[in-house]
Amino acid sequence: MKVGILTGGGDCPGLNAVIRGVTRVICNNGGEVLGLLEGWRGAIQGNTTPLTIDNTDNIVGLGGTILGSSRTNPFKDEKQVDAVCDTFKKLGLDALVAIGGDDTLGVASKLYYERGLATIGCPKTIDNDLSATDQTFGFDTCVNIVTEAIDRLRTTAESHRRVIVVEVMGRHAGWITCYSAIASAADYFLVPEREVDLDEMCDVLAKRRAGGKKYGIVVASEGAKLKGGMVTSSGELDDFGHVKLGGVGEVLAKYIQDKTKIETRSVILGHLQRGGTPSAFDRVLGTRLGVHAGHLVLEKNFGKMVALRGTQIVPVDLKDAVNKMRELEDSFFEEASEFIR
Ligand code: F6P
């Protein structure tokens, strides 16, 4: 049995744990594994590298992806879809495990349903916005990075009696914001799921200052909805049609300073949130997903995505797993909101 693996979309900590998990299961059962380089680009161009038990043994703690990644979308051009199918044939692949977010898994789903390719999906993203799984790997590491960054920002904010607005990733979902706001005892947070009343936010910050608190921390989702919509860094779209977000922190900082007269700064944490070593949680979740994806391949149970449900890893149909964003749930928002009144 010959199995391909690729990692697509924005990278995240834990990808290498999945690669190692799939490789181990396939090799333990006498199969061969090929890594396709740089996401669907490698599948189009046929660029590969061999994966073995030896060369994947020590990658569980490595950040990023040893295979490289890209946001290439073969379905932008039918010829590229044909090229993926040709690569599949030329390499003699029996199955392909695609590790990615909604975009990458959407491609895996279409290849299965429209072209009959034997694909399996594995959900990743720091954004935690995939509907069919309780949590994506990468999210835990990201929240830890943001929390540590805010712990550092708090001391300088306090020294200078400032408010600091921390802009975090997550696209159109507020999971990273909500979790890190709770973990870092933020004074206010803004998520894309709720349109924000900026004056109410300023009132909370001013009230706390009047009550003697010498600093303020605001955590804002890059996709936070202000009146008039989201702030975008440019009109640029990626291959899947997503607009680049960014800049809301600066807008908020100016508003807060003008309205409250408290000196305010903003920090965009950006790609720091996706870099570096995965947490133990993400190493374990990634490994378990990889092992289960490997077993689905052995069982020839294709067109599935491995998902975390409660504490167990289960297969779900790829078609039910894609195109449905998982927004921040109301209960999480309400729990966190107790601390921003
Ligand atoms: O989906 C993961 C993510 O990190 C989002 O949170 C963010 O908006 C986007 O990717 C950034 O993409 P890029 O790495 O292409 O700038």
Side-chain angles (χ1 to χ4, degrees):
M1 164 156 280
K2 205 171 183 186
V3 180
I5 307 180
L6 63 81
T7 51
D11 70 342
C12 81
L15 286 166
N16 290 321
V18 184
I19 294 169
R20 177 173 174 260
V22 176
T23 303
R24 187 62 65 104
V25 170
I26 301 303
C27 293
N28 281 348
N29 287 277
E32 193 186 329
V33 185
L34 282 180
L36 287 90
L37 301 177
E38 298 163 9
W40 293 112
R41 192 190 295 146
I44 293 166
Q45 298 174 349
N47 286 339
T48 64
T49 186
L51 295 172
T52 63
I53 289 182
D54 280 353
N55 70 15
T56 57
D57 187 39
N58 205 14
I59 62 172
V60 70
L62 279 187
T65 160
I66 59 164
L67 299 177
S69 191
S70 70
R71 294 197 188 275
T72 309
N73 177 10
F75 279 92
K76 264 185 95 180
D77 175 355
E78 215 49 32
K79 280 197 205 110
Q80 296 194 334
V81 184
D82 294 340
V84 173
C85 296
D86 282 353
T87 300
F88 212 90
K89 251 193 236 142
K90 270 188 213 145
L91 297 176
L93 295 182
D94 297 295
L96 175 64
V97 177
I99 312 168
D102 198 53
D103 296 333
T104 305
L105 299 180
V107 173
S109 178
K110 278 175 146 185
L111 287 172
Y112 175 74
Y113 289 106
E114 294 176 15
R115 298 296 190 109
L117 293 194
T119 57
I120 299 284
C122 181
K124 71 86 227 191
T125 168
I126 60 165
D127 302 341
N128 200 34
D129 62 351
L130 298 182
S131 63
T133 188
D134 287 353
Q135 188 165 326
T136 53
F137 68 86
F139 173 66
D140 179 71
T141 308
C142 174
V143 170
N144 279 299
I145 294 169
V146 175
T147 304
E148 196 204 322
I150 297 177
D151 286 347
R152 291 176 188 280
L153 290 169
R154 182 182 301 108
T155 60
T156 172
E158 184 160 16
S159 304
H160 290 269
R161 315 312 196 208
R162 286 172 175 158
V163 168
I164 297 189
V165 181
V166 187
E167 179 181 317
V168 302
M169 282 186 169
R171 247 196 243 280
H172 307 296
W175 291 102
I176 300 172
T177 301
C178 181
Y179 268 57
S180 45
I182 295 174
S184 64
D187 296 285
Y188 209 83
F189 69 94
L190 299 86
V191 292
E193 288 82 357
R194 309 277 173 121
E195 197 174 276
V196 189
D197 182 338
L198 294 184
D199 293 330
E200 185 192 295
M201 171 185 68
C202 290
D203 287 348
V204 170
L205 295 170
K207 205 168 72 190
R208 291 191 178 187
R209 180 58 62 109
K213 189 163 183 179
K214 296 188 175 67
Y215 70 96
I217 296 289
V218 174
V219 188
S221 292
E222 60 179 358
K225 270 195 212 114
L226 312 183
K227 278 201 186 91
M230 281 167 302
V231 180
T232 56
S233 58
S234 63
E236 230 179 288
L237 301 181
D238 69 17
D239 254 20
F240 288 90
H242 303 300
V243 71
K244 272 195 186 162
L245 297 167
V248 72
E250 210 180 313
V251 174
L252 291 171
K254 186 170 178 340
Y255 194 94
I256 292 167
Q257 183 161 302
D258 288 350
K259 177 96 201 222
T260 64
K261 309 295 174 224
I262 304 170
E263 194 180 13
T264 305
R265 296 285 191 270
S266 68
V267 173
I268 301 178
L269 292 182
H271 294 84
L272 263 180
Q273 295 163 89
R274 293 202 323 229
T277 51
S279 64
F281 180 92
D282 283 336
R283 295 181 200 198
V284 174
L285 179 56
T287 300
R288 294 180 69 208
L289 290 168
V291 166
H292 281 261
H295 282 289
L296 288 181
V297 170
L298 295 176
E299 292 157 16
K300 298 192 186 349
N301 193 359
F302 301 122
K304 304 284 181 206
M305 183 189 89
V306 282
L308 177 69
R309 292 280 170 86
T311 57
Q312 300 302 305
I313 308 293
V314 298
V316 296
D317 286 342
L318 263 174
K319 68 171 163 21
D320 299 330
V322 297
N323 295 328
K324 266 175 256 142
M325 198 192 94
R326 180 171 172 235
E327 294 190 337
L328 177 67
E329 288 159 23
D330 288 347
S331 59
F332 286 81
F333 179 83
E334 298 307 338
E335 288 152 10
S337 294
E338 287 296 337
F339 301 91
I340 60 167
R341 290 183 215 285

